Amino acid sequence: MLAYLLAEKNFAALKQYVTFLNDLRPALQEISEFTAIFERQKHLILPPPNVQSLKEAAQTSAACWRAIAMATPLLGSNCTLVLRDVFGFIEEFQSVVSNVDNRRKAIVTIDPQHFSLVRSPAWGNAPAENIIDVLREMHRRLGHYRSAVLDFNVQVTRLAESMHSIFVRFIECLTTPICTCDKPIPKIEAYYSLGKIGLPGTTYEPGRLYSQEERIAQSKEHVEFLFNLRRRAASAANNLSDFCYRMTCMLDEARQVLQCHYPAMTMARAKAVLPMFKGPLSDVQSMSDQLVKMRRL
């Protein structure tokens, strides 16, 4: 189901973005020193890249990436455990309410001890007084998993925020002049003329002598590289957020069906409601299977 939302290329793009920010520190140091030299020479400096915000973004993105990398396989395996119990309950519940002799009986008459989960150590210490208690436990477990999905999405959102604000301004800043008093050439070209500043992941080699034509060509190529990096990383973050949103919607739909069960509901009515419960959870299972595949992250 919608495998592109959790494609490995999404994780690869985010990892490349995080790596780039963290590898940018030496270049930022050179940029700061270069700017200071120009200021001492009384140039009318245009705002340089915000070094401090980029360093903070690097720290934040690295922390978010670690959280995402740790949470991805856990979300998959935890969902598998939750849905195993829920689907097991549904199968046993379906068997009871499908009994022709039970059609007119209220579901509250079902003995909760009939269900494997209630008899298992995973149930806990609080005894189930009736079937409604079992349904509430299913609702609680799905809600707990929903919270974990939302926590995962928080990390993705925090990572995306730096792309849409700090990183895009950094790229745009590199295309503006370094000062107002000299020939208006892009900052990145001026930085390259120093011979010390090279952006991570590009072909520029600090210390090597390049002609003006080469610097111009490389600066344009590398700005496009940065915009492409930002586009791919932002698309990846959007896809992961969409994945989380769709998963929470499926969980909400299943939990809503659980809430529709009340003590006086007949078993015949419960049997009719069950298919509405299994549909969204089957989608959640499919999405969980995709998460488990991300263990290679």
Side-chain angles (χ1 to χ4, degrees):
M1 176 186 177
L2 300 174
Y4 73 92
L5 294 177
L6 204 70
E8 287 192 46
K9 68 177 183 179
N10 293 331
F11 289 88
L14 290 177
K15 185 176 182 179
Q16 184 183 10
Y17 168 74
V18 172
T19 300
F20 178 89
L21 277 185
N22 282 273
D23 290 346
L24 189 61
R25 291 174 181 270
L28 293 177
Q29 182 61 37
E30 293 290 349
I31 287 173
S32 296
E33 295 176 3
F34 185 77
T35 302
I37 293 172
F38 258 55
E39 287 178 332
R40 287 196 297 270
Q41 294 175 350
K42 307 303 181 182
H43 286 268
L44 299 176
I45 298 294
L46 291 173
N50 191 324
V51 171
Q52 185 57 37
S53 66
L54 284 164
K55 288 180 178 178
E56 292 173 358
Q59 293 176 339
T60 299
S61 65
C64 291
W65 177 250
R66 287 193 295 271
I68 290 171
M70 291 176 61
T72 300
L74 287 175
L75 277 175
S77 57
N78 288 345
C79 184
T80 299
L81 293 175
V82 171
L83 292 186
R84 181 194 63 191
D85 290 341
V86 172
F87 280 127
F89 164 76
I90 291 175
E91 184 177 347
E92 293 173 343
F93 189 69
Q94 179 111 42
S95 176
V96 174
V97 299
S98 296
N99 189 318
V100 176
D101 295 334
N102 293 337
R103 286 178 53 83
R104 297 179 182 275
K105 294 181 180 178
I107 60 173
V108 74
T109 61
I110 300 174
D111 183 358
Q113 292 299 318
H114 176 84
F115 301 99
S116 302
L117 178 61
V118 177
R119 301 192 305 270
S120 72
W123 178 259
N125 297 323
E129 295 185 4
N130 54 50
I131 189 61
I132 302 302
D133 285 345
V134 185
L135 293 170
R136 285 172 179 163
E137 176 62 14
M138 298 297 100
H139 185 277
R140 185 194 70 79
R141 293 187 181 201
L142 292 176
H144 182 73
Y145 184 72
R146 181 184 186 277
S147 296
V149 174
L150 291 177
D151 289 341
F152 176 86
N153 195 35
V154 166
Q155 301 301 327
V156 176
T157 301
R158 290 182 65 197
L159 194 54
E161 286 173 351
S162 66
M163 302 174 202
H164 298 309
S165 56
I166 298 171
F167 192 61
V168 73
R169 288 201 297 269
F170 165 65
I171 303 172
E172 292 170 349
C173 183
L174 292 179
T175 66
T176 61
I178 194 166
C179 66
T180 61
C181 45
D182 288 337
K183 182 181 178 180
I185 64 173
K187 285 188 179 71
I188 186 171
E189 187 182 333
Y191 295 153
Y192 282 0
S193 69
L194 185 64
K196 293 183 179 180
I197 302 171
L199 297 178
T202 65
T203 56
Y204 185 83
E205 299 178 22
R208 177 183 166 187
L209 294 178
Y210 288 95
S211 67
Q212 182 180 8
E213 291 75 17
E214 288 175 319
R215 290 198 301 270
I216 292 174
Q218 283 192 325
S219 62
K220 291 180 179 178
E221 176 187 335
H222 296 169
V223 166
E224 180 56 33
F225 161 77
L226 293 176
F227 274 118
N228 185 53
L229 174 60
R230 187 240 173 190
R231 283 192 294 267
R232 290 189 298 106
S235 176
N238 290 338
N239 283 341
L240 287 179
S241 288
D242 195 17
F243 179 89
C244 294
Y245 171 75
R246 291 168 185 264
M247 196 173 221
T248 55
C249 284
M250 297 300 100
L251 290 167
D252 286 341
E253 186 176 343
R255 294 172 77 224
Q256 186 175 9
V257 174
L258 278 173
Q259 289 179 313
C260 292
H261 290 78
Y262 47 87
M265 176 184 283
T266 64
M267 296 192 195
R269 174 58 181 162
K271 180 183 178 182
V273 171
L274 273 176
M276 294 187 290
F277 182 69
K278 296 176 69 174
L281 284 185
S282 294
D283 289 337
V284 171
Q285 179 68 70
S286 175
M287 300 178 85
S288 172
D289 292 343
Q290 294 180 53
L291 278 168
V292 172
K293 292 179 182 178
M294 291 299 107
R295 288 182 180 275
R296 297 188 300 273
L297 213 140

